[in-house]
Amino acid sequence: MIELWTSPEAWAALLTLTALEIVLGIDNVIFLSVVVSRIPQPQAKRARQIGLALALVFRIVLLSLLVWLIGLTQVVVTVNGIAFSWRDIILIGGGLFLIAKATHEIHAEVEARDPVSDDAPRPRAFFCVIIQIIVIDVVFSLDSIITAIGMAQDLQIMIAAVVIACLIMYISSGPVATFVAEHPTTKMLALAFLVLIGVALVADGFKFHIPLGYIHFAIAFSAAVELFNVLAKRNRKKPVN
């Protein structure tokens, strides 16, 4: 163990894998920010905490089941010459869920139906949010951990990278969720991101890999443009001296 953590190669693998896990966690944070925006703030904070805790638990549990995870990449069915593994099936299902969820939320935003009461306790809504978080946590955790297995050989490094990435996700999720909730146009942009991510997951399940760099560059560029729009709108509201 000591030899592992004093190895430059181990530290390089840890930094690389942590960076990758953080990038993959962006999708998780965006989904969390959108899905908790329709419940009261105290419940939203608790839902974020539960969701990120579950994300960490799922990732560590999956890491402890390496042999089972490797088995998930084995072909289980072939349709029209395309071989599908359990991983592919889960990615397709998760991608379709993201597309359906984002489309439903976009429809609700366009219809602009106001909630009955923002402060009223809605245990059923909270429960539905937690179920949705669990579903998408499983999908993102599976994709994240299978990627980690391909990049590192030591379980300690993989667990350390996952814990660091989840900690950063926890720190960033609050500000991101607050920003999305306070700016409706940003929420619409986040929903569009979820559709894009869902399409990428479905495509990956069908063996058509879209490089993550393209997707995250599009997200970063659009987010930067939206940030400038928010700043410009705020400056226009300032009184002129």
Side-chain angles (χ1 to χ4, degrees):
M1 182 68 181
I2 297 177
E3 293 179 358
L4 179 65
W5 292 110
T6 55
S7 168
E9 292 80 7
W11 281 102
L14 175 63
L15 292 175
T16 303
L17 187 54
T18 300
L20 178 62
E21 291 294 323
I22 292 171
V23 170
L24 293 175
I26 292 173
D27 305 341
N28 216 333
V29 171
I30 292 174
F31 180 81
L32 274 175
S33 302
V34 170
V35 79
V36 302
S37 63
R38 289 193 172 276
I39 58 178
Q41 182 57 33
Q43 289 187 338
K45 181 178 180 180
R46 191 154 45 120
R48 284 200 316 272
Q49 292 172 342
I50 293 174
L52 292 170
L54 288 173
L56 176 60
V57 170
F58 285 148
R59 282 162 168 78
I60 293 178
V61 169
L62 289 174
L63 280 173
S64 66
L65 301 173
L66 294 180
V67 175
W68 177 74
L69 277 177
I70 293 172
L72 287 180
T73 59
Q74 303 299 318
V75 176
V76 294
V77 64
T78 302
V79 179
N80 292 332
I82 303 177
F84 295 97
S85 64
W86 281 115
R87 173 183 179 271
D88 298 327
I89 295 171
I90 293 173
L91 288 181
I92 293 171
L96 292 175
F97 172 77
L98 269 183
I99 294 171
K101 174 63 180 175
T103 303
H104 175 77
E105 290 290 331
I106 289 173
H107 179 266
E109 289 294 315
V110 172
E111 290 293 323
R113 294 174 182 171
D114 294 327
V116 176
S117 173
D118 288 337
D119 299 323
R122 288 176 282 178
R124 183 179 178 184
F126 180 78
F127 179 75
C128 290
V129 165
I130 294 300
I131 294 298
Q132 294 173 37
I133 290 173
I134 290 174
V135 171
I136 212 62
D137 270 348
V138 170
V139 176
F140 285 143
S141 296
L142 181 68
D143 199 30
S144 172
I145 295 308
I146 288 180
T147 303
I149 293 173
M151 290 192 61
Q153 302 298 322
D154 296 292
L155 183 61
Q156 296 92 335
I157 292 177
M158 288 187 279
I159 291 178
V162 164
V163 170
I164 294 172
C166 285
L167 180 61
I168 293 175
M169 286 167 55
Y170 179 81
I171 294 172
S172 63
S173 65
V176 171
T178 301
F179 189 82
V180 168
E182 292 178 351
H183 301 86
T185 56
T186 304
K187 182 176 180 180
M188 190 64 71
L189 184 62
L191 290 170
F193 291 160
L194 291 182
V195 174
L196 178 63
I197 295 165
V199 170
L201 289 176
V202 173
D204 199 8
F206 280 100
K207 310 300 183 182
F208 184 80
H209 181 66
I210 302 174
L212 286 177
Y214 294 157
I215 296 174
H216 291 119
F217 175 79
I219 291 175
F221 180 80
S222 302
V225 172
E226 182 61 23
L227 178 61
F228 288 134
N229 284 333
V230 170
L231 293 175
K233 183 178 180 180
R234 183 178 300 171
N235 289 333
R236 283 195 297 268
K237 289 182 178 180
K238 289 182 178 179
V240 180
N241 296 326

